[in-house]
Amino acid sequence: MNPAGAAYWRQLVRAATERGHPMRVGALATLQDDQPQVRMVVLRSVDIDLAVLCAYTDRRSDKVAALQRAAQAEWMFYDAEAGLQLRVAGTAKVHLQGDAVDAAWAGLHAGQRREYQMATAPGTPLEQGAESVSEAAARQHFAVLSLHADRLDVLELERQQHRRTRFCRHSQWAPEALTP
Ligand SMILES: Cc1cc2nc3c(=O)[nH]c(=O)nc-3n(C[C@H](O)[C@H](O)[C@H](O)COP(=O)(O)O)c2cc1C
C-alpha cells in the first residue's frame, strides 16, 4: 500500500475496530437490474495489504442477490467532524462457507445472531407470529460480504479549499489529486 493512501485505510481499520467510530457504518451501493440500491452496513474488518473490506449480512437479503448478479459495488463512509468522505469502489464477493465465515459467526454474541433467526427473508412481508429458527439454523442465513477495492476516492472538506484524491489499485495506489 502506498503510504499516502495507507493513512486513509488505517482510518477504516480504526472504524472497524473502535466502538462508536463515525465511519463504522457506511452506505453500500449495489445495482439490481440497472437500478441503484443503497443501504447502511457495518464495517466489520479491513485488510490493508489486500485492500479488502468486510461486512456481515443475511444471505437471503436483496443485496446478496444483487451482488451475485453484478459484483461491482461502492461503499461510502463519512466522518462529519473530520469533514472526511471515503468512497471505496470495487468487486464484492459473498462468502457462505469456510473458516472465515465460521470465525465471523463464532465472534457474534447471541443478540447479533438473533438478527439471522427470522424465518422469513429480509424485505419479504412480515407474517403474523412469524417463527424464528434455531441459532444453528440461523447460521445458514449468515454471510460475509467482502469488497475487493479497486479505487479509493477521498474528499477532505477544508475551510479554504477542499481536497480530493483518488487512489487506484491499477496504479499501485499512488495518489492522484483531483478537482474537488
Ligand atoms: C446503522 C445501520 C447499520 C446496519 N448494518 C447492517 C449490516 O451490517 N448488515 C446488513 O445486512 N444490514 C445492515 N443494516 C440494514 C440495512 O441497511 C438494510 O436495511 C438491510 O440489510 C436490507 O437491505 P437490502 O434489502 O438492500 O439487502 C443496517 C442498517 C442501519 C440503519
Side-chain angles (χ1 to χ4, degrees):
M1 179 62 64
N2 184 292
Y8 301 107
W9 285 95
R10 280 196 294 274
Q11 296 257 26
L12 288 172
V13 171
R14 279 204 294 281
T17 50
E18 285 174 17
R19 259 189 167 279
H21 192 288
M23 292 195 288
R24 178 139 173 87
V25 184
L28 176 71
T30 55
L31 275 178
Q32 174 86 43
D33 300 329
D34 295 336
Q35 284 297 312
Q37 291 181 329
V38 64
R39 80 286 285 160
M40 302 304 279
V41 174
V42 175
L43 178 62
R44 296 290 183 169
S45 64
V46 178
D47 185 320
I48 296 191
D49 295 331
L50 299 178
V52 170
L53 311 182
C54 284
Y56 301 163
T57 196
D58 192 309
R59 70 167 68 174
R60 302 167 297 170
S61 64
D62 284 352
K63 70 181 85 49
V64 167
L67 289 169
Q68 284 172 333
R69 282 170 166 220
Q72 290 313 111
E74 186 165 80
W75 203 350
M76 193 274 289
F77 304 88
Y78 178 53
D79 180 340
E81 208 161 295
L84 177 65
Q85 173 181 268
L86 303 180
R87 292 159 68 193
V88 183
T91 308
K93 266 195 197 152
V94 180
H95 308 266
L96 303 175
Q97 310 289 347
D99 292 348
V101 185
D102 290 340
W105 178 254
L108 296 183
H109 56 68
Q112 292 170 315
R113 289 181 183 182
R114 251 197 307 281
E115 292 172 25
Y116 299 90
Q117 284 182 253
M118 296 294 288
T120 46
T124 58
L126 187 62
E127 288 160 19
Q128 279 290 332
E131 297 281 309
S132 37
V133 301
S134 69
E135 199 180 280
R139 163 67 183 84
Q140 300 310 311
H141 298 156
F142 178 69
V144 174
L145 294 182
S146 64
L147 181 66
H148 182 266
D150 293 319
R151 191 181 70 230
L152 167 66
D153 185 305
V154 178
L155 179 65
E156 292 165 289
L157 303 177
E158 307 280 353
R159 210 176 275 273
Q160 295 294 325
Q161 165 114 56
H162 303 330
R163 274 189 300 157
R164 184 170 173 189
T165 315
R166 182 165 57 200
F167 302 88
C168 290
R169 186 182 288 274
H170 69 73
S171 51
Q172 286 71 51
W173 303 106
E176 182 187 6
L178 301 180
T179 308

